Amino acid sequence: MLSDYQKEQLSAEMVPMFQDLEQDTIQDIARRLRKSKRWTESAELQAKALESLGYSPSQIQARVLDKLHADKDFIDMLNENTLEHKKLVRERIRETVDSAQAHGDKIIGRAGDMSFADDVAFWKTKGQHLKSSPALKQISSESSKRLEHELKSLTHSTGFKFTGAPIPVEKAFNHSMDKAVINVASGAFSSEQAVEQVVSDLEKSGLRYVNYASGVTRGIDVAAHLAVRTTLNQMAADISMSNAEQLGTDLVEVSSHGGARSGDGHANHAGWQGKVYSISGKAHPKESKRLGYKILSLEAVTGYPHDPAGLCGYNCKHTFYPFIEGISDPTPIEKEPEPVKVNGKTYTHYQATQYQRRLERELREFKRQHLGGQNMTAAITAKEQQYARFCEKAGLKQNLNRLYVKGYKRDFEYINPFEDKNIDDFRNIISDFYNKNIFNFSDFDRFNLGKLPAMKEVPFMDGSNIFIEGKSLKRILNKHGHEMTREEILFIEDSVKFPSYYADNSKRHKNSLMLFKKLPDKKTRYAECIFVKRGDGYVIHYHKMNDRKLRKLKKEESLFDINK
């Protein structure tokens, strides 16, 4: 059988081909949009004229779009570019499928050899000797055909995901041109900005495999990765079934792993994993007694080999191997990892892995945008830190293959999360700011200011840690550093740990509170600290003020005295 690591590495080999297809498709649309800029410039002029006549934004957008769609030259331009784009995409898809099929055959061949070699070595330790059989060549051939079919299916159903329903790739240029015109007509963008905004939306989406029946979409590179992985798993299962026949056993044992998905019927992987089953469905009373549970039919319980939601189905990580009655010892079921708490939120192992996948998708989106011309360096670094910190706290291994986007620098080493800094570090960098006029910290540093007070009646005041991030601190110092003394800035520590008053701030920032504390030796001057709750608390603003705001909040009955 193939290990998880082997399947992951082999599947990753297919990803760059589909990322090339994705980048070529987006770049072709972007080139055509920029080349057709005169139409967005025309829309911009029309929108300004209509605005001066008193038309509403929605009326302006509708009228500008209708007028362009009535222009024969505009329609001719759309038709010509759409036809040329479809032709280019069709050719690139054919090239990608041909290349992927050729490489897929090599992957299948290597994977088959690896899987059988692993099985031979395993059974040799059990005193059993497997021999290569003609069935292995047949399994490899069928697996290659299965993978070819899967890859063709992916490329026949591609599109982009914006707001609303997915847009098929053949309609992407038309949709993008209309979106650019609407952006201009809204008055929020210049003609050039409107085009670049649409290109940015394309890069955020990425070329996607679209299941139009369910509406589910996946990045084309991710979908190809899953198709290869699933095919390899199914091939390893076919080899295991062939080995069982050669060993003369009707029993197989299904593997187990932490974080297995739950569901109904065959989709309840957590329910059927780690047990021994009968291939034929026959009863095995003696072995059932030895194992301590009734041996059931493999197909009836797990859905193998017909149900794509079951064992060895789409993106299933389970496999199985022959089990010899009266001889084989059952493998202990892998225990579900304990839930973990990250930034104040509790995750099951499965939930943690799903959140990890989400961060990986967001990182790939940022990298695509960077390759498209936007400066996303800071956003990528911040997201990498968020990813590294989450993986570290959740006890998950970083998956560098899932962070890869062709054309962006390849990460060969795990991302090292920056260590949180303490209150002494905070005091030192504030001194550097006032004494040397320098920012001796980065946007990605986090300073632990201490713990919030714990108050049962105020959910956000729960005794958790409160931090200030480098980017927020830099913004505060730039805006208020010149009007506050070093001691007043450092008073932020007392303001969050021992505030005198608090008020709800959720109308302006979700999950946030305002904290107030009277500044020392100041009769009517207070420190105001606003923090937002994201598991732990994060300071987003801090400054000094007079007591006018407090009097106003008190009059509105929105200010609460912590000491009462």
Side-chain angles (χ1 to χ4, degrees), residues 26-27 30 34 196 199-200 203 365-377 408:
I26 293 173
Q27 286 168 12
R34 288 164 182 151
E196 295 310 316
V199 173
S200 176
E203 288 158 350
E365 284 177 15
F366 285 175
K367 289 177 180 179
R368 281 198 300 268
Q369 289 174 266
H370 190 83
L371 292 172
Q374 297 182 66
N375 186 356
M376 300 294 289
T377 304
Y408 193 84

Side-chain angles (χ1 to χ4, degrees), residues 15-26:
V15 168
M17 297 180 195
F18 286 85
Q19 288 183 342
D20 272 346
L21 170 64
E22 174 181 71
Q23 288 172 21
D24 287 351
T25 303
I26 293 173

Side-chain angles (χ1 to χ4, degrees), residues 229-249:
R229 185 187 177 96
T230 300
T231 302
L232 294 180
N233 207 26
Q234 290 169 345
M235 180 182 70
D238 290 342
I239 291 174
S240 286
M241 197 63 83
S242 172
N243 292 341
E245 185 178 345
Q246 190 180 150
L247 291 167
T249 179

Side-chain angles (χ1 to χ4, degrees), residues 2 8 21 42 48 62 80 118-119 143 146-147 197 225 312 315 354 358-359 424 456-457 479 533 543-544:
L2 291 170
E8 184 69 27
L21 170 64
S42 172
K48 286 178 179 177
E80 180 183 349
D118 286 350
D119 288 349
S143 297
R146 188 186 300 153
L147 180 57
Q197 180 60 44
H225 182 281
C312 297
N315 199 28
Q354 293 305 294
R358 174 183 156 185
L359 294 175
D424 289 330
K456 288 183 180 179
E457 64 275 21
K479 189 171 183 179
K533 204 76 168 66
H543 70 134
K544 67 178 179 180

Side-chain angles (χ1 to χ4, degrees), residues 249-508:
T249 179
D250 180 48
L251 302 180
V252 291
E253 183 179 18
V254 174
S255 65
S256 67
H257 65 79
R261 71 185 89 151
S262 56
D264 298 324
H266 300 151
N268 185 19
H269 293 214
W272 48 246
Q273 69 172 353
K275 295 177 184 176
V276 174
Y277 295 94
S278 165
I279 299 170
S280 67
K282 293 178 182 177
H284 292 263
K286 286 185 179 179
E287 193 64 3
S288 293
K289 187 176 181 180
R290 182 173 82 96
L291 296 176
Y293 58 85
K294 186 177 181 180
I295 295 174
L296 301 173
S297 161
L298 179 69
E299 183 176 359
V301 177
T302 71
Y304 180 84
H306 302 298
D307 189 347
L311 174 62
C312 297
Y314 196 64
N315 199 28
C316 174
K317 293 183 179 180
H318 293 98
T319 188
F320 60 84
Y321 28 84
F323 190 88
I324 299 178
E325 189 166 354
I327 297 175
S328 295
D329 293 319
T331 306
I333 294 178
E334 189 173 318
K335 288 183 179 179
E336 180 73 15
E338 291 295 318
V340 292
K341 198 168 186 177
V342 182
N343 296 333
K345 184 176 179 180
T346 301
Y347 297 83
T348 64
H349 181 72
Y350 179 73
Q351 289 169 336
T353 58
Q354 293 305 294
Y355 188 70
Q356 182 188 27
R357 297 287 92 81
R358 174 183 156 185
L359 294 175
E360 290 162 353
R361 286 194 301 272
E362 290 171 353
L363 250 175
R364 292 197 300 273
E365 284 177 15
F366 285 175
K367 289 177 180 179
R368 281 198 300 268
Q369 289 174 266
H370 190 83
L371 292 172
Q374 297 182 66
N375 186 356
M376 300 294 289
T377 304
I380 289 170
T381 304
K383 187 61 68 174
E384 285 178 338
Q385 283 300 304
Q386 184 185 359
Y387 177 73
R389 282 174 168 148
F390 181 82
C391 289
E392 183 178 62
K393 291 180 180 179
L396 300 174
K397 188 176 181 181
Q398 295 178 30
N399 192 325
L400 300 183
N401 283 329
R402 293 182 185 271
L403 303 181
Y404 175 60
V405 172
K406 190 171 182 182
Y408 193 84
K409 65 181 178 66
R410 184 69 189 258
D411 297 309
F412 291 103
E413 295 181 358
Y414 295 124
I415 303 163
N416 291 319
F418 297 156
E419 288 187 16
D420 290 338
K421 307 216 181 236
N422 59 34
I423 193 64
D424 289 330
D425 297 318
F426 178 75
R427 292 172 185 142
N428 289 336
I429 61 100
I430 294 301
S431 294
D432 286 340
F433 174 77
Y434 279 95
N435 296 335
K436 303 175 185 176
N437 197 29
I438 59 171
F439 291 118
N440 197 14
F441 58 93
S442 82
D443 285 356
F444 314 109
D445 283 329
R446 293 198 319 172
F447 297 91
N448 190 333
L449 301 176
K451 293 185 180 295
L452 289 162
M455 300 176 65
K456 288 183 180 179
E457 64 275 21
V458 187
F460 297 157
M461 305 276 267
D462 57 1
S464 59
N465 286 317
I466 187 158
F467 295 86
I468 186 165
E469 295 173 313
K471 60 183 178 182
S472 297
L473 179 58
K474 192 174 287 185
R475 185 176 64 248
I476 291 165
L477 290 174
N478 278 326
K479 189 171 183 179
H480 301 294
H482 65 284
E483 63 191 38
M484 298 177 74
T485 66
R486 173 182 173 276
E487 288 69 28
E488 286 172 338
I489 287 287
L490 290 175
F491 193 65
I492 191 174
E493 181 185 357
D494 277 11
S495 300
V496 297
K497 291 164 68 175
F498 314 108
S500 303
Y501 303 95
Y502 73 90
D504 181 39
N505 191 51
S506 56
K507 286 183 180 178
R508 296 192 63 188

